[in-house]
């Protein structure tokens, strides 16, 4: 008899969710973690730390209160590294303790150490100062996450060139910063440091940042980032970099066109690499992608049927939220209780720039590619009472409705609380709801959520037609 029904490798969002899900279904579960702390990148170097630093930057800079009350409430002294990282370290500590309680309450055995496969049913776990431990299981869940990709052109041994993990270990605030990479991580950190008054250049090899965004929303985000003082250099790559140890000398980045950027520090956010090396996966027949991503089927099984993989280690979309859902689906399948479960067809994306951006469903560009007729409804936060109260005058909620039946196809938000507001639209999309839902919903006043009704009324003015109500009642019109 094997030692466990399931062994999970990794304790991030995917690993925790998978372990607890299987334990709740009566399985004997163990979790292996190679780091001295629980939580993976989400708790320690990625999701929670970066979002906490964003809130810290907004607080230290007085950003949300600037000009609202007729007085200057900006912090008068320069923010220190201790100021910047204080809350981030508290949040990490609290989250690690929560994960430990979650695993303990579910009856999951924690096995510290670094795992490698001996065969398809046996793990060898290397433990510091102790003999190697071998455990057997019917099923394994690989949830080992990812780490920042390090392009060879950069000397990461320099204390002035950082990846997105190292940026959390600063010994001094940058006097000027170049962020390499216009993806989610690069844009988020660029906004944080710019808000604190640091001159920031954002360098992206493509001609757009965040190209998956609705074009209108992406352009509005660029405008707001430029208003923070961020300079964009697009369509260029770094061909050489030098980082003198003396901070009196600038870091120099030479671009393809010969331009030289000079700065105090560099943050390289050039994507991530799956944590699949050293596990012995290739010997089992597991297929890996270019950056180590584990290939899986619709149930998150690898080429070895009893080995499942979820989260960052399988690549896109590499979100904490989707990783947890993937783990739930994988484990219900492994336990024979959900063979038909699948990941939701529409996923929300939250980008914690300043301002926030959040999106779900189709964009104008994808609808045009599909030849789908649609109508756009917009609600600027400047016309919303709650928006005026909190000073959110640049925000926008944008809804995309199908022209033929008024179903909501996409929701895109830029502004305060975007990552919270998007869920109203997400649920409507998942339920196949039409514009009528927003017209007949009573929203609290004053709230940003009212923008859904405002945007729907705008779509009616743009020609959207809402069909007859299923029961008694007048048909809404643009005049409603």
């Amino acid at each position: 008899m094997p030692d466990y029904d399931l062994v999970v490798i990794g304790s991030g969002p995917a690993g925790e969710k998978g372990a607890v899900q299987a334990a709740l279904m009566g399985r004997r579960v163990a979790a292996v973690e190679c780091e001295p702390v629980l939580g993976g990148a989400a708790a320690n170097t990625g999701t929670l730390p970066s979002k906490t630093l964003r809130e810290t930057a907004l607080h230290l800079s007085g950003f949300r209160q600037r000009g609202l009350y007729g007085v200057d409430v900006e912090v008068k002294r320069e923010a220190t590294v201790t100021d910047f990282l204080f809350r981030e370290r508290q949040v990490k500590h609290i989250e690690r303790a929560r994960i430990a309680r979650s695993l303990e309450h579910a009856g999951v055995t924690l096995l510290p150490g670094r795992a490698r496969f001996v065969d398809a049913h046996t793990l060898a776990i290397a433990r510091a100062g102790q003999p190697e431990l071998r455990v057997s299981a019917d099923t394994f869940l690989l949830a080992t996450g990812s780490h920042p990709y390090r392009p060879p052109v950069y000397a990461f041994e320099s204390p002035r060139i950082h990846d997105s993990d190292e940026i959390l270990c600063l010994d001094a605030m940058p006097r000027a910063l170049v962020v390499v990479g216009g993806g989610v991580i690069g844009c988020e950190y660029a906004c944080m440091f710019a808000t604190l008054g640091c001159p920031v250049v954002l360098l992206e090899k493509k001609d757009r940042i965040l190209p998956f965004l609705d074009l209108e929303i992406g352009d509005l985000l660029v405008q707001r980032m430029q208003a923070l003082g961020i300079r964009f250099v697009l369509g260029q790559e770094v061909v050489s970099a030098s980082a003198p140890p003396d901070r009196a000398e600038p870091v120099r980045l030479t671009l393809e066109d010969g331009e030289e950027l000079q700065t105090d520090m560099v943050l390289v956010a050039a994507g991530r690499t799956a944590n699949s090396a050293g596990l012995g996966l290739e010997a089992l027949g597991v297929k890996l992608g270019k950056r180590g991503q584990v290939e899986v089927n619709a149930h998150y099984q690898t080429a070895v049927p009893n080995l499942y993989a979820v989260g960052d280690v399988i690549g896109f979309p590499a979100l904490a939220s989707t990783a947890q859902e993937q783990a739930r689906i994988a484990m219900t399948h492994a336990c024979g209780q959900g063979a038909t479960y699948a990941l939701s067809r529409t996923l929300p994306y939250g980008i914690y720039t300043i301002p926030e951006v959040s999106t779900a469903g189709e964009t104008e560009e994808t609808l045009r590619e599909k030849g789908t007729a649609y109508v756009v409804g917009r609600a600027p936060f400047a016309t919303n009472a709650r928006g005026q109260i909190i000073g959110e005058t640049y925000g926008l909620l944008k809804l995309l409705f199908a022209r033929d039946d008024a179903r909501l196809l996409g929701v895109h938000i830029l502004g305060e609380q975007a990552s919270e507001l998007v869920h109203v639209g997400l649920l409507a999309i998942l339920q196949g709801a039409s514009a009528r839902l927003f017209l007949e919903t009573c929203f609290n006043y004053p709230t940003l959520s009212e923008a859904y009704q405002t945007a729907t009324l705008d779509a009616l003015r743009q020609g959207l037609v809402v069909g007859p109500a299923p029961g008694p009642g007048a048909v809404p019109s643009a005049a409603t």
Side-chain angles (χ1 to χ4, degrees):
M1 185 176 181
D3 299 315
Y4 299 97
D5 298 313
L6 169 72
V7 172
V8 179
I9 307 174
S11 66
E16 180 197 356
K17 181 73 172 185
V20 171
Q21 180 72 44
L24 290 175
M25 291 188 286
R27 271 44 177 192
R28 297 169 299 139
V29 182
V32 182
E33 177 54 63
C34 66
E35 297 295 336
V37 293
L38 299 175
N44 297 291
T45 61
T47 307
L48 293 189
S50 65
K51 281 48 175 179
T52 305
L53 290 179
R54 176 186 185 273
E55 292 302 308
T56 302
L58 289 169
H59 173 72
L60 292 176
S61 66
F63 182 84
R64 287 195 177 105
Q65 290 77 37
R66 291 177 185 176
L68 283 187
Y69 307 108
V71 293
D72 182 1
V73 295
E74 292 186 48
V75 173
K76 296 301 182 184
R77 63 180 174 82
E78 183 179 352
T80 67
V81 168
T82 301
D83 295 329
F84 191 44
L85 298 179
F86 174 78
R87 183 61 184 165
E88 178 263 348
R89 288 167 179 165
Q90 284 189 321
V91 170
K92 286 196 296 191
H93 175 75
I94 293 169
E95 179 65 3
R96 293 165 182 166
R98 184 203 62 76
I99 295 167
R101 290 194 303 271
S102 171
L103 296 176
E104 181 181 0
H105 290 168
V108 176
T109 302
L110 186 61
L111 302 174
R114 187 170 295 276
R116 64 175 176 83
F117 283 94
V118 176
D119 56 48
H121 288 279
T122 310
L123 274 186
I125 303 174
R127 303 177 295 172
Q130 298 183 61
E132 182 180 84
L133 174 68
R134 294 205 172 192
V135 296
S136 59
D138 290 327
T139 305
F140 293 92
L141 177 63
L142 190 64
T144 49
S146 64
H147 61 274
Y149 172 66
R150 290 184 156 195
V153 70
Y154 301 100
F156 285 96
E157 64 273 12
S158 168
R160 302 171 67 190
I161 297 181
H162 305 278
D163 62 30
S164 57
D165 285 358
E166 291 180 334
I167 202 71
L168 299 174
C169 302
L170 287 173
D171 57 6
M173 296 293 283
R175 296 189 296 263
L177 179 70
V178 170
V179 177
V180 181
V184 173
I185 295 173
C187 289
E188 289 180 350
Y189 275 109
C191 289
M192 288 179 218
F193 284 101
T195 299
L196 289 170
C198 175
V200 176
V201 174
L202 193 149
L203 176 64
E204 167 55 49
K205 65 182 179 180
K206 298 177 183 177
D207 59 2
R208 277 185 66 189
I209 64 166
L210 305 170
F212 59 88
L213 288 180
D214 180 273
L215 182 59
E216 179 182 9
I217 297 295
D219 288 345
L220 287 174
L221 176 61
V222 168
Q223 293 174 22
R224 299 317 308 152
M225 291 174 69
Q226 288 174 329
L228 289 175
I230 298 171
R231 176 193 167 201
F232 289 87
V233 178
L234 304 177
Q236 291 287 323
E237 285 194 86
V238 174
V239 295
S240 67
S242 65
D246 184 356
R247 287 194 69 181
E249 294 290 323
V251 177
R252 291 181 168 85
L253 305 179
T254 304
L255 308 184
E256 290 173 306
D257 65 358
E259 180 183 357
E260 184 180 85
L261 299 179
Q262 297 187 12
T263 189
D264 180 43
M265 286 189 188
V266 177
L267 167 61
V268 181
R272 299 182 69 86
T273 299
N275 292 333
S276 57
L279 288 164
L281 297 174
E282 296 93 334
L284 296 181
V286 174
K287 298 178 181 178
L288 304 179
K290 182 179 179 181
R291 289 196 182 178
Q293 302 97 327
V294 175
E295 296 185 11
V296 294
N297 64 17
H299 305 299
Y300 302 101
Q301 286 174 296
T302 68
V304 181
N306 71 309
L307 174 56
Y308 292 73
V310 293
D312 280 19
V313 76
I314 68 173
F316 184 85
L319 302 170
S321 54
T322 55
Q324 293 180 79
E325 274 299 282
Q326 290 167 351
R328 179 184 67 82
I329 294 165
M331 290 302 90
T332 51
H333 180 268
C335 295
Q337 297 186 22
T340 60
Y341 286 4
L343 195 64
S344 171
R345 66 186 185 278
T346 303
L347 299 170
Y349 293 85
I351 305 166
Y352 294 84
T353 44
I354 300 172
E356 286 182 30
V357 173
S358 198
T359 178
E362 303 284 358
T363 66
E364 285 200 68
E365 292 70 41
T366 59
L367 290 174
R368 285 197 291 267
E369 288 173 5
K370 296 176 180 178
T372 302
Y374 64 93
V375 177
V376 182
R378 296 177 178 85
F381 286 5
T383 64
N384 177 279
R386 185 64 178 271
Q388 285 295 327
I389 291 170
I390 65 175
E392 181 54 85
T393 56
Y394 298 100
L396 176 70
L397 183 143
K398 177 179 180 179
L399 302 180
L400 304 177
F401 296 99
R403 184 175 289 278
D404 60 353
D405 59 7
R407 281 182 304 112
L408 183 65
L409 302 177
V411 53
H412 308 279
I413 311 171
L414 177 140
E416 188 75 10
Q417 299 182 32
S419 57
E420 298 284 352
L421 288 169
V422 74
H423 297 119
V424 175
L426 172 65
L427 290 172
I429 293 171
L430 293 176
Q431 293 300 312
S434 77
R436 179 176 296 281
L437 173 67
F438 304 121
L439 295 170
E440 297 181 352
T441 297
C442 181
F443 292 93
N444 278 330
Y445 174 84
T447 62
L448 294 176
S449 297
E450 287 180 279
Y452 276 96
Q453 197 166 77
T454 305
T456 303
L457 290 170
D458 182 58
L460 294 179
R461 288 189 287 269
Q462 307 307 318
L464 182 68
V465 176
V466 180
V475 177
S477 68
T480 301

